[in-house]
Amino acid sequence: MTSNETLFGVGVQVIVRLDRSRFPDSLIDDPIGVIVAAGESEGSGLYAPTVVRERFWIVRFEEPFFGLDGSGPHDSARIPQSFLEAAPAA
């Protein structure tokens, strides 16, 4: 377990860092939420000798969130851990 993995778990408040590669001019703030459940780990590497697995978490947002693509409002979402950052302590 890496030190980054120890930051996340049920009850941890997080900031979801949005992938702005398709919407670079968006002014939508990164949503804040709380991890409410562990999601499944998923891997890639079909027909490849190694598999890279990423942990997913179910995050419930503080406020309903509209995606950069206009979807929503979302109360919760399944988010890859690489998009999460532990929120600073208040």
Side-chain angles (χ1 to χ4, degrees):
M1 184 179 296
T2 68
S3 61
N4 190 35
E5 289 174 0
T6 60
L7 295 175
F8 301 104
V10 173
V12 174
Q13 186 174 30
V14 293
I15 300 168
V16 179
R17 296 298 178 193
L18 300 174
D19 178 3
R20 297 177 187 276
S21 59
R22 293 186 352 216
F23 306 96
D25 298 327
S26 174
L27 299 176
I28 293 175
D29 290 332
D30 291 333
I32 296 173
V34 173
I35 295 174
V36 295
E40 297 175 13
S41 295
E42 287 189 0
S44 58
L46 186 61
Y47 303 111
T50 59
V51 175
V52 175
R53 296 185 69 81
E54 181 162 17
R55 179 92 183 190
F56 282 74
W57 297 96
I58 308 300
V59 175
R60 177 163 299 280
F61 301 115
E62 288 183 342
E63 300 177 8
F65 168 71
F66 286 89
L68 296 176
D69 62 357
S71 65
H74 306 284
D75 292 324
S76 64
R78 188 171 163 271
I79 309 288
Q81 183 168 301
S82 61
F83 283 69
L84 298 178
E85 177 181 316

